[in-house]
Amino acid sequence: MIKLFPWQKTQIQQIIEMSKQKRLPHALLLSGPDGIGLKKFALFVAANRLCLINEMQQPPCGECQSCQLFLGRSNPDIKLIEPEKEGGQIKIDTIREVVSYASLKSFLNNNMKIIIISQADAMNRSAANSLLKVLEEPSSQSMFILLSHRPSQLLVTIRSRCQKINFNPTYENESIEWVDGAFNNSNFSSDLLLRLAGGGPLKVKKLLEEDYLDYRVNLLKDLDSLNKRNTNPVDIAKNWNEFSKDKIKSAETTIFCLMQLINDLVRLKLCPKMENIVNIDLIEDLHGISNTLDLLKLIRSYDFILLKYKELVGPMNYNSLAILEEIALFWKNYNHSMIMK
Ligand SMILES: [Zn+2]
């Protein structure tokens, strides 16, 4: 039967407590970093709530009709909604369907239907308003579970109608051990992988598939060479833009990585403790570069890149190459001029 990840114990306990006190809400909002396993947690809660034998008192039994259908991915009392493609929106038609589904009686004998909305912040305005209406008139026969890595992007009115369950980034030993077992990677330590994944263990898979770990070494070299006069920022930006076939993804990964590296450079200046550093294996190179740069300028560079990141992932369609060129030029001109003075 479905199992939770080891770092999700506190949150399931919270829900079991609510259930024991008959206070299980009609809408939950699960939030946490990418890779923390929100979808699996929501499915576990759904299977558990619908289990005809245990019903939140113990883990789902795995035997009853509801659990059997769940295992066959065909439990009619669970509906999972998510954007059709990565980065896509959840539109009003989808939410209208969900609204009419929620108004039906449950199919199995448990008087409950569960609707999971993954990446809930991807709902467009009209979809969100449509969902809000249902949340305003809750039914005792359906429960909504919204999932989001960016809950602040949800309508305040939606957030206020949900019981919030938060997952913090995890760097505990049990999570490091889980990464060890799940990815069995001999080239890099699981501690490093988890730091780079921002405390979202499942995200490690994506980093390994993308060759993120080698890419970050190249990016650090680029930052260093941009500080030297003969390097052309336009050429560097072009390489960044072509890191993967998908240009937006290239730019997103590049900017994310630059922010991690610059963050480390800042931290090395402020408080050079190993536990604060993400790229622990590059510590010597980071030290070397950090020594040549000015703290205030580093912080401003970070802010500039963050601003560009928001442009890239925001609703306006910015050109990814243009954004990367701006970043490379900013880094070169801004940090370089400091050294020459
Ligand atoms: Zn069961």
Side-chain angles (χ1 to χ4, degrees), residues 7-15 18 27-34 36-38 41 145-152 154 159 162-170 198-199:
W7 55 87
Q8 298 179 325
K9 290 186 203 108
T10 324
Q11 289 82 358
I12 197 66
Q13 211 46 50
Q14 264 178 283
I15 293 183
M18 285 190 255
L28 283 171
L29 169 58
L30 312 181
S31 62
D34 188 8
I36 203 80
L38 295 183
F41 186 87
I145 308 181
L146 277 59
L147 320 181
S148 177
H149 304 310
R150 291 179 288 189
S152 62
L154 284 164
R159 269 186 281 155
C162 298
Q163 174 83 45
K164 290 163 206 72
I165 305 267
N166 185 44
F167 294 78
N168 288 326
T170 172

Side-chain angles (χ1 to χ4, degrees), residues 169-188:
T170 172
Y171 301 99
E172 310 299 321
N173 283 341
E174 59 182 6
S175 307
I176 295 176
E177 279 164 25
W178 184 89
V179 170
D180 254 341
F183 303 108
N184 197 10
N185 187 289
S186 51
N187 294 337
F188 305 100

Side-chain angles (χ1 to χ4, degrees), residues 1 47 50-54 59-68:
M1 197 57 195
L50 297 179
C51 174
L52 298 169
I53 295 175
N54 289 340
C61 76
E63 306 286 332
C64 71
Q65 189 191 8
S66 174
C67 286
Q68 285 294 311

Side-chain angles (χ1 to χ4, degrees), residues 98-116:
V98 164
V99 172
S100 73
Y101 171 82
S103 69
L104 301 172
K105 276 184 91 66
S106 64
F107 296 92
L108 301 174
N109 193 20
N110 49 32
N111 296 320
M112 179 53 75
K113 288 204 304 297
I114 314 262
I115 296 124
I116 301 169

Side-chain angles (χ1 to χ4, degrees), residues 191-217:
D191 178 22
L192 170 67
L193 290 169
L194 196 52
R195 287 174 192 232
L196 289 169
L202 306 182
K203 200 182 168 187
V204 168
K205 181 169 189 268
K206 201 169 127 199
L207 299 183
L208 292 171
E209 282 170 0
E210 277 183 342
D211 285 330
Y212 182 82
L213 283 98
D214 292 334
Y215 184 53
R216 129 205 101 100
V217 179

